[in-house]
Amino acid sequence: MADEVILLDFWPSIYGMRVRIALAEKGVKYENKEQDLRNKSPLLLQMNPIHKKVPVLVHNGKPVLESLIIVQYIDEVWKDKTPLLPSDPYERAQARFWVDFIDKKLLEGGRKTWTTTGEAQEEGKKEFIEVIKTLEGQLGDKPYFGGEAFGFVDLSLIPFYSWFHAFETFGKFSVAAECPNFSAWAKRCMEKESVAKSLPDGKKVLGFLTEYRKSLGFE
Ligand code: GS8
């Protein structure tokens, strides 16, 4: 029996993008069911009754939850094609550490660049750039965080790049000017078909976040 793979997703979701890239890297065919998060579908509530969030991977009727758990599940199930996590336990632990760092630090820093103004925003920009510089240090001279090949850290980080144009527009700063090596890495990732087809256009994200900001009371 062929696998039935369904992804409950929302186009601007950084977490959803991770899963899209993983499925594309593995060449897995799936049905993408776009969700309305303001009016959650019975399917989403049934598949993720605890958090009621996307992404959800429904594999042969069974839900897998949380983007990083889903990506690791995909890597294990479709293990013959394009490994995403390193096979060495120490390297795997290192990759998981950096992905954990990205989830704890980058999202929060990024959020402050577009949900605050004045001093708080300046502080947010500084923190955001510091996080990117730390990541840049970890990348070093390697083409990818995974070394010669695109891997788990690259896949978990690159979706943020589709939000950078919005961060930079609201915060009036440039990541490329401050972190050129990071920008070169991002462009390298964007050249991969699996990434390019999984990320929305930065201008579309800017439009989405502009509306969202207005609903929060910003002009
Ligand atoms: C986060 C998922 C999430 O926040 C993961 O999968 O890694 N830790 C989880 N999903 C958001 C959309 S993306 O910002 C979501 O579904 N929100 C709906 C809600 O909060 O009601």
Side-chain angles (χ1 to χ4, degrees):
M1 192 189 83
D3 279 304
E4 186 198 46
V5 183
I6 299 170
L7 178 61
L8 309 188
D9 200 356
F10 178 48
W11 70 267
S13 170
I14 283 170
Y15 308 106
M17 290 174 218
R18 288 173 169 170
V19 180
R20 281 172 237 163
I21 299 171
L23 290 168
E25 280 287 308
K26 298 284 183 178
V28 177
K29 291 210 168 33
Y30 65 100
E31 184 188 348
N32 188 305
K33 288 196 177 168
E34 184 73 5
Q35 301 295 302
D36 177 354
L37 296 179
R38 279 173 300 190
N39 181 19
K40 292 179 180 168
S41 69
L43 182 63
L44 176 60
L45 299 176
Q46 182 198 341
M47 291 295 162
N48 190 354
I50 309 282
H51 294 308
K52 307 175 179 67
K53 289 183 178 189
V54 296
V56 177
L57 185 82
V58 188
H59 184 202
N60 296 330
K62 291 187 292 190
V64 186
L65 307 171
E66 289 290 322
S67 61
L68 298 176
I69 295 174
I70 299 171
V71 169
Q72 294 182 65
Y73 175 81
I74 291 171
D75 201 28
E76 287 173 17
V77 172
W78 289 278
K79 56 179 176 297
D80 296 338
K81 204 179 162 204
T82 335
L84 298 170
L85 272 92
S87 55
D88 175 73
Y90 184 75
E91 281 179 32
R92 212 158 50 224
Q94 288 299 100
R96 287 183 174 132
F97 168 84
W98 284 106
V99 170
D100 182 61
F101 174 84
I102 290 161
D103 265 14
K104 286 187 177 137
K105 297 284 189 183
L106 194 63
L107 193 65
E108 194 45 40
R111 188 177 288 136
K112 284 189 201 156
T113 66
W114 63 280
T115 57
T116 58
T117 52
E119 238 173 74
Q121 189 179 36
E122 289 310 311
E123 196 54 40
K125 280 193 275 185
K126 230 171 80 193
E127 275 173 36
F128 183 69
I129 292 292
E130 262 169 41
V131 174
I132 304 269
K133 281 197 189 296
T134 303
L135 289 167
E136 214 173 35
Q138 171 60 17
L139 178 66
D141 297 329
K142 304 191 292 285
Y144 297 107
F145 285 88
E148 289 305 312
F150 177 88
F152 187 49
V153 180
D154 303 283
L155 176 154
S156 304
L157 180 57
I158 192 63
F160 286 90
Y161 187 62
S162 64
W163 285 45
F164 276 23
H165 177 58
F167 294 167
E168 292 174 324
T169 306
F170 298 133
K172 299 186 181 59
F173 69 109
S174 158
V175 175
E178 308 214 34
C179 309
N181 286 351
F182 183 91
S183 292
W185 162 83
K187 293 207 172 82
R188 201 171 299 128
C189 292
M190 290 302 291
E191 281 165 15
K192 291 179 70 71
E193 198 200 328
S194 63
V195 176
K197 73 176 187 190
S198 302
L199 265 53
D201 185 64
K203 290 195 190 76
K204 195 173 164 199
V205 175
L206 174 64
F208 168 74
L209 289 182
T210 302
E211 286 308 308
Y212 185 64
R213 264 177 119 239
K214 273 188 202 149
S215 75
L216 295 178
F218 287 93
E219 263 319 301

